[in-house]
Amino acid sequence: MLSIESSKSNVSDRRVQDFDTLMKISTKLLADRRTWSIWRRRLAWILEHRHFDEFGALVIVANVIVIVLDTNANADCDKVSCSGVGLQAMNYVFLSVYLLEVL
């Protein structure tokens, strides 16, 4: 019985230490952000916002739809590309969005 309680206290001590370490790192990151330019702080706010991830998922779903439409347009075609200008433009838009996300 004693070993179970001592192991529980060890787990509890480790959690406290992990929390303290996390708080130190968090405080250091916040202190570093104070030295950032206003544009960098705004960009960080946008990238860390939950709507940014939702927008990324929406872009991926829209890209899948465009790929399906593009594939259907080219399925019965003898030329190199039979997809319309709109689908080609959308492919470039998606490429631009993905490139910006990588940067």
Side-chain angles (χ1 to χ4, degrees):
M1 192 72 164
L2 181 62
S3 65
I4 293 174
E5 289 184 18
S6 67
S7 68
K8 284 183 181 179
S9 78
N10 288 341
V11 169
S12 175
D13 290 342
R14 276 188 261 142
R15 285 184 182 165
V16 169
Q17 289 173 350
D18 291 345
F19 181 75
D20 289 342
T21 304
L22 184 63
M23 290 305 295
K24 287 177 186 175
I25 292 170
S26 176
T27 304
K28 184 175 181 339
L29 286 174
L30 288 175
D32 289 344
R33 284 189 179 200
R34 289 188 200 120
T35 62
W36 289 0
S37 69
I38 187 70
W39 293 107
R40 187 174 179 185
R41 281 185 274 170
R42 286 180 182 172
L43 183 61
W45 180 82
I46 290 169
L47 294 176
E48 292 172 350
H49 200 277
R50 69 180 177 91
H51 292 309
F52 182 77
D53 292 333
E54 293 169 358
F55 174 74
L58 184 67
V59 167
I60 291 170
V61 169
N63 191 9
V64 168
I65 293 170
V66 169
I67 288 171
V68 169
L69 293 173
D70 194 27
T71 303
N72 287 339
N74 290 322
D76 296 328
C77 184
D78 293 334
K79 295 188 276 180
V80 174
S81 177
C82 289
S83 59
V85 176
L87 288 176
Q88 290 176 356
M90 287 303 297
N91 283 326
Y92 285 118
V93 168
F94 289 125
L95 178 64
S96 301
V97 169
Y98 292 140
L99 286 175
L100 284 174
E101 187 176 7
V102 168
L103 295 176

